[in-house]
Amino acid sequence: HEVLRLWQDAFEWSYYDQVIGAISQKKHQSVIDSKTPAFQAVFCIDERECSLRRHIEYTVPECQTFGAPGFFGVEFFFESDGAKFIEKLCPAPVTPKHLIIETNGNHHTRSDIVFEKRNLGIITNLCATIIYGVYSFWKLLQITLFPQKESIIADAFAIVGKKSSLTIINDNPLDIKHGLQVGFTIQEITDRIESFLKGIGLIQQFSSLIYVISHGSSTSNNPHYGAYNCGACSGRPGAVNARVFCMMANNTEVRKELIGRGIDIPDDTIFIPCMHDTTSDEIEYYDEEMIPTTFQSMNQSIKQSFEQALDLNAKERSRRFASIKTNDSLSNVRNQIRNRALSMFEPRAELGHGTNSLAIIGRREITRGLYMDRRAFLNSYDYRYDKDGSYLKKVIAPIGVVCGGINLEYYFSRVDNMKLGCGTKIPHNVMGLLGVRSEEHTS
């Protein structure tokens, strides 16, 4: 054990020296000191977004990116349109007091005839069983040979509609549901937007278009679905948080309040909510109808740049997948990445946080252009706007608990998977809404 400890210490300190050495030797690049960026993008601190940030900055050098926990500073429970239960969309230790309600969702449209719940009678049910059995066999062949989005897939984008209505503003303190206040007051919204923007150092030189990019994961075969989604959103996709934050930041009353707190967001600045599917490397854009016509062509051009960055991101990820020829063309690699997410025979559509090793808190100029190999949590922070260190304290507080916890989960699973981990996920079966059962030790 003493020898193993020495080897472990040597490994960790060697990596530490490599990281610090690379940061200290690079030339800091700044795009905001002299001019307003072409556009700005706020990502989750997740290390899987580390590479996408690097690629979009390579594709559009004039852009500026930020990193922050993926719930974007707005904590709440969410009631999806037609849902039976409410969902918690914030870090696990936080207990929200607010509820966001979705209406006019129209996003739970993907269904399949084999999930029919009606009782059709004895004879009809007997015939239906035979017909559905043949249909299911044909469907199995189809999704095996030609993977595509089906009703069985855990679709991250289905968490919220692209243009559904969300109850954000609370004008009546007595508007209570499930013991929670429905929506936020203008004062509560202003407090959260101010804290978030000052925390990441975005209080001036706002671009016309600012993309708030959450993340989620769509897979066909993954009993540990929550592990691939956003940890800051309690293991759920972060699209709702992105939409809520942008609606709050685009509110004219909130912006008037922010001026008195030293944050003057121009009238022509629009926050656009998005979600990056980290498995299929696709981005969904929400509420695009709020973008003025004068910026529509600009938005389309930026979306094309994101597509180029996603191609490069898929290429970088592919080198860790034995089933993909990473030397193929970008389009072929991207298609194969998408197919991994859709294939029911792929238990490891992505490797999650498997390479995570460090967290960096600071200005993007410290690491911009530096190849971190998708291993770093990146949380933006600008000391110039935090003279007393109050925002730094808020930023650092959850990093050790959340990011350190994620890191140790993978570390212990690698060190001793059977005792400290939970074995391989391949024989795991989801049992109702109770848990996961492993077949490894059954005869």
Side-chain angles (χ1 to χ4, degrees):
H1 286 287
E2 180 66 16
V3 173
L4 291 176
R5 187 186 65 81
L6 290 172
W7 274 112
Q8 182 66 32
D9 286 344
F11 170 74
E12 292 184 4
W13 280 106
S14 296
Y15 182 67
Y16 177 88
D17 290 341
Q18 291 172 2
V19 172
I20 298 300
I23 291 175
S24 63
Q25 292 178 28
K26 79 174 288 293
K27 295 181 180 179
H28 292 181
Q29 306 173 33
S30 178
V31 297
I32 63 170
D33 291 339
S34 59
K35 60 181 181 180
T36 301
F39 68 89
Q40 291 160 321
V42 183
F43 292 83
C44 181
I45 65 174
D46 194 293
E47 83 282 357
R48 291 170 293 176
E49 304 293 53
C50 168
S51 56
L52 183 56
R53 288 179 65 180
R54 173 165 31 86
H55 289 307
I56 192 61
E57 290 166 347
Y58 168 78
T59 305
V60 187
E62 300 80 17
C63 79
Q64 182 184 23
T65 69
F66 298 86
F71 76 113
F72 303 116
V74 284
E75 78 294 350
F76 54 85
F77 282 99
F78 176 59
E79 183 178 87
S80 179
D81 187 17
K84 295 182 179 179
F85 307 99
I86 59 175
E87 299 178 276
K88 181 179 177 180
L89 295 180
C90 61
V94 179
T95 302
K97 298 179 181 179
H98 303 82
L99 175 68
I100 299 295
I101 300 175
E102 180 191 31
T103 55
N104 303 318
N106 299 322
H107 55 95
H108 302 292
T109 56
R110 189 176 295 113
S111 60
D112 198 291
I113 192 173
V114 297
F115 297 135
E116 176 63 59
K117 296 182 179 179
R118 290 179 299 173
N119 190 344
L120 304 176
I122 297 177
I123 303 300
T124 309
N125 275 338
L126 179 61
C127 297
T129 301
I130 299 173
I131 295 173
Y132 289 172
V134 174
Y135 169 79
S136 298
F137 178 72
W138 173 81
K139 201 71 174 178
L140 177 63
L141 292 177
Q142 183 188 41
I143 62 178
T144 302
L145 300 176
F146 306 101
Q148 58 184 332
K149 283 194 175 181
E150 298 286 348
S151 54
I152 62 171
I153 193 172
D155 187 0
F157 297 119
I159 190 172
V160 66
K162 287 190 66 173
K163 300 179 181 180
S164 60
S165 301
L166 299 178
T167 306
I168 305 292
I169 307 297
N170 179 281
D171 297 320
N172 180 12
L174 299 178
D175 190 0
I176 304 293
K177 187 174 183 181
H178 302 300
L180 304 166
Q181 175 182 300
V182 178
F184 295 77
T185 65
I186 294 297
Q187 183 68 32
E188 290 171 334
I189 292 174
T190 306
D191 291 342
R192 284 160 176 77
I193 299 299
E194 177 194 13
S195 179
F196 182 84
L197 294 179
K198 287 185 176 180
I200 65 174
L202 177 57
I203 63 172
Q204 61 181 356
Q205 291 182 287
F206 292 92
S207 300
S208 297
L209 299 181
I210 302 177
Y211 296 83
V212 179
I213 305 175
S214 58
H215 68 98
S217 173
S218 301
T219 51
S220 289
N221 180 11
N222 183 13
H224 303 283
Y225 174 65
Y228 281 7
N229 285 303
C230 183
C233 300
S234 291
R236 293 171 175 83
V240 185
N241 296 77
R243 286 196 65 197
V244 169
F245 176 88
C246 290
M247 288 180 178
M248 290 178 168
N250 288 330
N251 186 283
T252 54
E253 292 185 55
V254 173
R255 292 192 179 187
K256 289 178 182 178
E257 291 287 332
L258 287 172
I259 293 176
R261 306 189 187 193
I263 303 177
D264 187 0
I265 303 176
D267 293 338
D268 63 351
T269 292
I270 302 295
F271 288 81
I272 305 168
C274 318
M275 187 168 74
H276 172 215
D277 190 323
T278 55
T279 307
S280 62
D281 265 325
E282 298 173 297
I283 291 182
E284 185 81 84
Y285 301 84
Y286 300 87
D287 302 321
E288 289 185 274
E289 66 278 1
M290 67 184 175
I291 302 175
T293 54
T294 52
F295 292 140
Q296 286 292 346
S297 60
M298 178 181 175
N299 177 51
Q300 292 302 319
S301 175
I302 292 172
K303 288 169 67 174
Q304 287 299 318
S305 298
F306 270 113
E307 283 300 307
Q308 296 175 34
L310 289 167
D311 284 341
L312 296 172
N313 198 58
K315 179 85 166 180
E316 181 173 336
R317 291 177 58 207
S318 69
R319 75 192 197 281
R320 298 188 183 277
F321 299 137
S323 63
I324 297 180
K325 294 181 180 179
T326 190
N327 292 327
D328 275 357
S329 65
L330 287 177
S331 59
N332 285 342
V333 170
R334 181 88 179 275
N335 286 332
Q336 292 179 67
I337 289 288
R338 288 196 194 99
N339 288 339
R340 284 180 67 90
L342 300 173
S343 174
M344 64 179 297
F345 297 104
E346 181 50 72
R348 297 187 180 92
E350 70 164 294
L351 301 181
H353 301 282
T355 58
N356 166 252
S357 58
L358 71 152
I360 299 176
I361 302 172
R363 299 168 63 192
R364 178 55 172 163
E365 285 74 10
I366 296 174
T367 55
R368 183 171 174 129
L370 195 64
Y371 178 70
M372 306 298 293
D373 197 18
R374 292 169 56 85
R375 305 192 71 182
F377 286 108
L378 299 174
N379 200 129
S380 295
Y381 167 77
D382 196 329
Y383 67 92
R384 297 175 299 179
Y385 309 129
D386 186 27
K387 301 302 182 182
D388 61 356
S390 58
Y391 286 102
L392 177 60
K393 182 179 179 180
K394 294 178 182 178
V395 169
I396 288 180
I399 293 295
V401 178
V402 178
C403 298
I406 291 173
N407 181 279
L408 288 176
E409 289 173 8
Y410 284 79
Y411 171 75
F412 287 130
S413 292
R414 182 62 182 267
V415 171
D416 191 338
N417 197 15
M418 296 309 299
K419 292 181 180 179
L420 302 178
C422 59
T424 176
K425 66 186 275 189
I426 294 178
H428 289 186
N429 295 286
V430 177
M431 304 298 291
L433 296 176
L434 302 177
V436 177
R437 172 171 168 265
S438 176
E439 302 287 351
E440 285 182 274
H441 304 296
T442 59
S443 57

